[in-house]
């Protein structure tokens, strides 16, 4: 029987004791677990140690840079990158191990199911998908301040593996994240020319709402899907409103 590629699971953390146990339990079969912590004061480090993880600490350098630093700490060529509030079910292990027997691509996208306040998104709504399993010699983080992603030097496949993303547990947390992310995204937006900025402030929130709520099917999740779509639209407004504010301050 062919031997599969050895796998390093890589996770970045900061005070994630509430979700880290589920995250690491689902990948306890991996050859190595690497946790890069930003100075947690809760039980995060103890939970990681319980699963035999190699725990490293460095100040938070930004989402993309922190994840790249964690990837660089891995011992094995193939990496599974997870957020600390994500988890995999028991069926995922077999599918990942099968893909690692004879990898045909530089990396693979996995699907992600979102927790929406008090329920999981509908099974009939569209799942997001991200590159999470990859050959780290042919991959690099994008460098974006937010919405960072793995960029591949080579072909990309898709695996029938679903990540459960627990995310923010309530509306307040989701709104706080939208405010924080929209501020952080200013750096990326300011690097390029954004045309028709005032028109974007007026129209894009509606477009973002309809795309999230109707096209992606989150209307199937009832009021949880409606509220999530409204916050998503608010985030779309905030990032352009803050860019407009920045430009006006520079002009004045």
């Amino acid at each position: 029987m062919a031997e599969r590629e050895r796998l390093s699971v890589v996770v970045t953390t900061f005070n994630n004791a509430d979700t880290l146990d589920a995250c690491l339990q689902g990948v306890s079969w991996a050859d190595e677990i690497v946790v890069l912590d930003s100075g947690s004061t809760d039980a995060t480090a103890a939970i990681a140690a319980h699963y035999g993880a190699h725990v490293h600490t460095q100040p938070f350098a930004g989402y993309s840079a922190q994840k790249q630093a964690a990837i660089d700490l891995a011992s094995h060529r193939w990496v599974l990158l997870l957020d600390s509030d994500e988890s995999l079910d028991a069926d995922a292990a077999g599918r990942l191990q099968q893909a690692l027997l004879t990898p045909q691509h530089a990396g693979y996208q996995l699907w992600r199911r979102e927790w929406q306040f008090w329920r999981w998104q509908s099974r009939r709504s569209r799942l997001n998908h991200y590159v999470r399993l990859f050959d780290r010699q042919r991959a690099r983080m994008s460098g974006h301040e937010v919405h960072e992603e793995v960029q591949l030097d080579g072909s990309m496949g898709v695996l029938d593996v679903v990540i459960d993303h627990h995310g923010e547990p309530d509306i307040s947390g989701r709104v706080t994240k939208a405010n924080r992310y929209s501020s952080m995204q200013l750096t990326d937006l300011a690097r390029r020319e954004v045309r028709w900025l005032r028109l974007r402030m007026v129209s894009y929130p509606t477009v973002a709402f309809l795309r999230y709520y109707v096209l992606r099917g989150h209307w199937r999740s009832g009021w949880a899907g409606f509220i999530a779509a409204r916050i998503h639209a608010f985030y779309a407004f905030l990032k352009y409103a803050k860019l407009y504010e920045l430009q006006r301050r520079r002009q004045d």
Side-chain angles (χ1 to χ4, degrees), residues 49 51 137 146 162 197 208:
Y51 286 95
Q137 296 182 5
V146 294
V162 177
L197 184 53

Side-chain angles (χ1 to χ4, degrees), residues 68-223:
Q68 185 61 58
I71 292 166
D72 292 340
L73 291 169
S75 301
H76 304 305
R77 180 169 175 173
W78 279 86
V79 164
L80 175 65
L81 178 65
L82 293 177
D83 290 339
S84 55
D85 58 358
E86 296 174 338
S87 61
L88 298 172
D89 62 25
D91 294 336
R95 296 189 179 104
L96 291 169
Q97 291 171 6
Q98 183 65 34
L100 289 169
L101 284 175
T102 53
Q104 302 298 310
H105 303 278
Y108 294 87
Q109 288 185 333
L110 278 59
W111 302 98
R112 191 167 81 165
R113 184 175 66 147
E114 304 290 338
W115 178 257
Q116 293 177 332
F117 312 121
W118 55 82
R119 59 164 293 172
W120 289 108
Q121 71 177 94
S122 170
R123 293 181 178 274
R124 293 183 291 170
S125 59
R126 196 176 76 184
L127 301 181
N128 289 326
H129 46 86
Y130 305 96
V131 174
R132 294 303 188 87
L133 179 68
F134 52 89
D135 176 353
R136 68 189 183 97
Q137 296 182 5
R138 295 189 288 168
R140 198 81 187 165
M141 297 302 302
S142 62
H144 294 111
E145 292 295 324
V146 294
H147 306 306
E148 69 286 349
E149 60 184 3
V150 177
Q151 297 179 331
L152 298 176
D153 180 16
S155 62
M156 178 178 64
V158 181
L159 295 181
D160 186 21
V161 174
V162 177
I163 300 171
D164 283 337
H165 180 219
H166 299 272
E168 294 68 44
D170 52 32
I171 294 170
S172 177
R174 186 71 67 92
V175 172
T176 298
K177 181 178 180 179
N179 187 40
R180 184 176 75 254
Y181 270 36
S182 59
S183 293
M184 294 179 69
Q185 199 169 7
L186 274 179
T187 302
D188 293 329
L189 289 174
R191 288 173 181 161
R192 57 186 175 87
E193 181 183 1
V194 180
R195 304 180 63 185
W196 311 104
L197 184 53
R198 284 174 289 187
L199 179 60
R200 286 174 183 264
M201 277 195 294
V202 172
S203 62
Y204 192 70
T206 300
V207 172
F209 173 82
L210 293 175
R211 186 169 58 189
Y212 187 95
Y213 190 63
V214 178
L215 296 183
R216 291 174 57 184
H218 288 289
W219 60 270
R220 299 179 184 274
S221 300
W223 284 108

